[in-house]
């Protein structure tokens, strides 16, 4: 669920960069002394140019966001796989072996038993997942934003609270749409990353065909409920914590770099949202692995039954297995995606 906090810090950083570079939008004041027909023609030309620039800018923004997300995910893939491996402990393991899971011990086991490249198991699916997810999220947000603005009315478009409502609700609906559309790729990624020495799924296409054959088409959507349930809280926590921290920071230290403030606040908001929504993420992973590799189902009572079963067998701490590597990947993940995004936008803007 990192997409929400990444989007927030990139958006905040983009505003910061625009302010730092002195970006100014011309309101058409230069044309106020022209004759009426000339002003109208010039205004039409300006509107057409702005639409063309907006379309080009949208494509550049989409490509930059997708590539930056894929690059960031690749850089933090070892920590992401460790998170998944810790999250699924307890499904089929003896509870006596789960008392003190060690990141160093698990990383050493991966290197010794599976080889160093095994840290990136399932990462190819992540890369394939990034661009369609970004595309669906981007265009769905624009659609929902326009729809909500039309429902609210144009006379409220400048109202700060109405704009916040549009941003939050539109972002949540776009996140739900994108997550639903690309969910099978996320499930396949979890199945591939969860494999240890024994290999059941030989690749992306083999995993898709095997899951559909053994579990049916809807087997590709196991755990979707937990994913959709976490979208709203993730966006709400990320956005509110980010804005609160940024406002407090700027009030105390107004001369600090706005870009660094955005990065720091984005990282802290990511940690906050990860902490709050991690139990849902853990339940999602476990439900994604139900019946994987021909193994018997462990949880047969739905989303809330899975929560109850985990708490009964592993305690409340069981809902936070793998939280440390998740924390470790937040700061570099946000930093990498932000810097890569800005660099790519500059490069694509010159094309």
């Amino acid at each position: 669920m990192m997409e929400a906090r990444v989007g927030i810090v990139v958006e905040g950083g983009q505003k910061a960069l625009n302010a730092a570079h002195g970006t100014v939008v011309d309101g058409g004041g230069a044309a106020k002394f022209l004759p009426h027909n000339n002003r109208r023609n010039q205004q039409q030309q300006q509107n057409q140019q702005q639409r063309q620039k907006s379309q080009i800018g949208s494509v550049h923004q989409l490509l930059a966001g997708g590539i930056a997300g894929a690059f960031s995910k690749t850089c933090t893939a070892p920590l992401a796989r460790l998170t998944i491996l810790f999250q699924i402990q307890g499904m089929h393991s003896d509870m006596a072996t789960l008392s003190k899971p060690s990141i160093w011990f698990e990383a050493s086991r991966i290197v010794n038993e599976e080889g160093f490249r095994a840290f990136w198991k399932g990462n190819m699916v992540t890369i394939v997942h990034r661009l369609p997810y970004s595309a669906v999220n981007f265009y769905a947000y624009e659609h929902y934003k326009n729809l909500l603005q039309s429902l609210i009315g144009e006379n409220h478009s400048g109202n700060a609270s109405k704009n916040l409502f549009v941003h939050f609700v539109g972002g949540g609906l776009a996140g739900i749409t994108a997550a639903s559309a690309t969910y099978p790729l996320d499930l396949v990624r979890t199945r591939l990353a969860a494999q240890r020495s024994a290999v059941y799924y030989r690749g992306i296409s083999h995993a898709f065909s095997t899951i559909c054959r053994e579990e049916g088409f809807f087997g590709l959507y196991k755990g979707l409920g937990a994913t959709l349930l976490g979208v709203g809280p993730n966006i709400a926590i990320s956005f509110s914590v980010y804005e609160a921290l940024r406002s407090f920071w700027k009030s105390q230290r107004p001369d600090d770099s706005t870009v660094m403030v955005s990065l720091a606040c984005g990282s802290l908001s990511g940690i906050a949202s990860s902490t709050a929504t991690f139990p849902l993420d853990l339940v999602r992973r476990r439900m994604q692995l139900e019946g994987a590799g021909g193994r018997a189902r462990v949880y047969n009572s739905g989303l809330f039954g899975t929560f109850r079963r985990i708490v009964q067998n592993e305690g409340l701490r069981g809902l936070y297995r793998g939280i440390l590597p998740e924390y470790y990947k937040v700061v570099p993940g946000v930093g990498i995606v932000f810097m890569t995004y800005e660099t790519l936008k500059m490069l694509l803007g010159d094309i």
Side-chain angles (χ1 to χ4, degrees), residues 52-329:
Q52 291 174 347
K53 288 181 179 179
S54 176
Q55 292 173 352
I56 295 172
S58 297
V59 174
H60 288 174
Q61 184 178 351
L62 174 61
L63 287 174
I67 296 171
F71 182 65
S72 174
K73 292 281 189 179
T74 300
C75 292
T76 58
L79 289 169
R81 185 169 185 234
L82 285 170
T83 298
I84 292 173
L85 290 175
F86 283 131
Q87 284 178 323
I88 64 175
Q89 285 184 346
M91 285 188 70
H92 304 282
S93 304
D94 181 4
M95 293 305 301
T97 66
L98 304 176
S99 56
K100 292 183 179 179
S102 165
I103 294 176
W104 176 253
F105 177 82
E106 185 64 21
S108 300
R109 184 203 64 77
I110 291 172
V111 173
N112 293 331
E113 295 183 8
E114 305 175 52
F116 185 74
R117 291 178 59 187
F119 279 116
W120 282 268
K121 271 187 180 179
N123 187 61
M124 183 57 67
V125 192
T126 303
I127 294 173
V128 173
H129 171 271
R130 241 359 31 219
L131 196 56
Y133 181 93
S134 298
V136 173
N137 191 67
F138 183 85
Y139 289 110
Y141 175 73
E142 291 298 318
H143 174 77
Y144 289 129
K145 182 180 72 173
N146 293 334
L147 178 63
L148 290 168
Q149 286 175 341
S150 66
L151 292 175
I152 293 173
E154 294 182 1
N155 56 327
H156 295 296
S157 60
N159 188 300
S161 60
K162 300 289 185 182
N163 289 338
L164 180 61
F165 170 80
V166 169
H167 178 84
F168 176 71
V169 176
L173 291 173
I176 289 173
T177 303
S180 301
T182 59
Y183 189 79
L185 286 168
D186 184 63
L187 181 137
V188 168
R189 184 269 175 126
T190 300
R191 297 268 178 117
L192 293 175
Q195 294 185 132
R196 300 197 177 203
S197 300
V199 175
Y200 190 80
Y201 304 109
R202 297 193 297 271
I204 300 175
S205 59
H206 181 256
F208 269 109
S209 60
T210 303
I211 293 168
C212 288
R213 185 177 65 253
E214 296 181 353
E215 305 169 49
F217 176 76
F218 289 105
L220 294 171
Y221 288 89
K222 288 180 177 178
L224 178 61
T227 300
L228 301 184
L229 194 61
V231 170
N234 192 279
I235 292 177
I237 294 168
S238 295
F239 185 79
S240 58
V241 172
Y242 176 82
E243 289 297 329
L245 288 173
R246 190 166 66 95
S247 299
F248 177 76
W249 192 321
K250 297 303 289 184
S251 67
Q252 299 296 316
R253 301 174 64 91
D255 296 329
D256 285 353
S257 167
T258 49
V259 174
M260 293 308 299
V261 170
S262 293
L263 285 173
C265 294
S267 299
L268 291 173
S269 69
I271 291 172
S273 63
S274 290
T275 304
T277 60
F278 193 81
L280 276 171
D281 191 59
L282 181 140
V283 169
R284 170 174 69 107
R285 297 295 185 194
R286 294 202 179 185
M287 295 184 76
Q288 285 177 332
L289 289 169
E290 281 280 77
R295 305 184 79 167
R297 291 176 62 90
V298 178
Y299 310 108
N300 297 298
S301 50
L303 174 61
F304 297 105
T306 302
F307 264 110
R308 186 169 57 252
R309 176 82 175 271
I310 293 171
V311 173
Q312 287 175 349
N313 292 343
E314 305 170 47
L316 288 174
R317 292 181 61 185
L319 294 172
Y320 283 91
R321 293 190 184 279
I323 191 68
L324 284 181
E326 177 71 13
Y327 283 158
Y328 295 155
K329 77 177 184 180

